[in-house]
Each structure stands twice: as structure tokens, then as C-alpha cells.
């Protein structure tokens, strides 16, 4: 008999954008990359908490606490880990397939720390 590990739910960039945009978004976009990556380029409106901090027990900022989360990183690997960790802590969390690389490739906006056009580092 084979044992299958249940994987965390994943969403496409389009699904992530629709869940996290607008005046009353259904979910918060949580970017779990490290600060230099975030500073180089992130999605507008995203909330930043590095995976390294989540792993050591850091909580979520107030605007993300108790809200459904769409978790993103550069390629999707760290966001899968973060979504699993957050789900184990009782949060509703899914991750974005392909991460910020897919986000940018889909033509979604990327801003740097000053609000100018950013890049994925």
C-alpha cells in the first residue's frame, strides 16, 4: 500500500490576483521572500514576512492575522513550505504556483521598495 502525502492547495497567478485585489480583497497576498528580494520587487499590496521569520515562530502582521492568505515567494518552493506551516498553525493558506517569477511573466505589476517598477531578484 502506498502512502500519499496530502499537498497544500495551490493557485494560479490569475486566481491569486483575483483573491487579493480590489477594495475588499477576499485574501491577503503574503510574500515570504527575504528582505533584499522584497525590496527589489514585490506585488502591490502584498504583506511581507520572510519564511525564515515564520519558521522561528514569528506571527503575522495585524493586516494578515485571521485572514485567508495567498502565499508567494520567488518560484513557489518557499511559499509551499510557508503555506503548510501556516495551515498547521490554523490559518487558511494557499500558495501561488510559480511564485513571483510567474507573477511577473503573467504581466502583473512588480514594485520596488520605492514604489517604482521593480524586478524579481
Amino acid at each position: 500500500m502506498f502512502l500519499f502525502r496530502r499537498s497544500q492547495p495551490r493557485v494560479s497567478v490569475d486566481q491569486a490576483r483575483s483573491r487579493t485585489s480590489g477594495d475588499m480583497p477576499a485574501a491577503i497576498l503574503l510574500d515570504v521572500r527575504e528582505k533584499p528580494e522584497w525590496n527589489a520587487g514585490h506585488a502591490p499590496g502584498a504583506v511581507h514576512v520572510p519564511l525564515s521569520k515564520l519558521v522561528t515562530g514569528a506571527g503575522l502582521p495585524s493586516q494578515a492575522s485571521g485572514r485567508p492568505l495567498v502565499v508567494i515567494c520567488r518560484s513557489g518552493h518557499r511559499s509551499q513550505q510557508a503555506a503548510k506551516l501556516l495551515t498547521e498553525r490554523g490559518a487558511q493558506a494557499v500558495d501561488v504556483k510559480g511564485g513571483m517569477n510567474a507573477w511577473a511573466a503573467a504581466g502583473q505589476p512588480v514594485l520596488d521598495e520605492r514604489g517604482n517598477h521593480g524586478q524579481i531578484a
Side-chain angles (χ1 to χ4, degrees), residues 7-8 10 71 73 76-85 95:
S7 63
Q8 290 299 116
R10 305 191 86 190
V71 187
C73 66
H77 180 71
R78 286 176 284 178
S79 59
Q80 278 186 297
Q81 292 176 312
K84 181 178 186 300
L85 176 73
D95 86 286

Side-chain angles (χ1 to χ4, degrees), residues 16-17 19-21 25-35 37-39 41-51 53-54 58-74 79 82 86 94 96 100 103 109 111:
R17 182 76 172 159
R19 290 183 188 190
T20 62
S21 63
I28 299 295
L29 185 62
L30 182 69
D31 192 319
V32 297
R33 295 174 300 147
E34 295 301 316
K35 189 167 179 83
E37 294 171 288
W38 165 266
N39 289 344
H42 57 272
V47 174
H48 181 233
V49 180
L51 176 60
K53 295 205 184 278
L54 289 173
L60 294 170
S62 60
Q63 68 265 44
S65 189
R67 299 281 312 275
L69 303 169
V70 176
V71 187
I72 197 164
C73 66
R74 184 177 60 229
S79 59
L86 291 164
V94 297
V96 180
M100 286 298 296
W103 181 273
L111 303 176

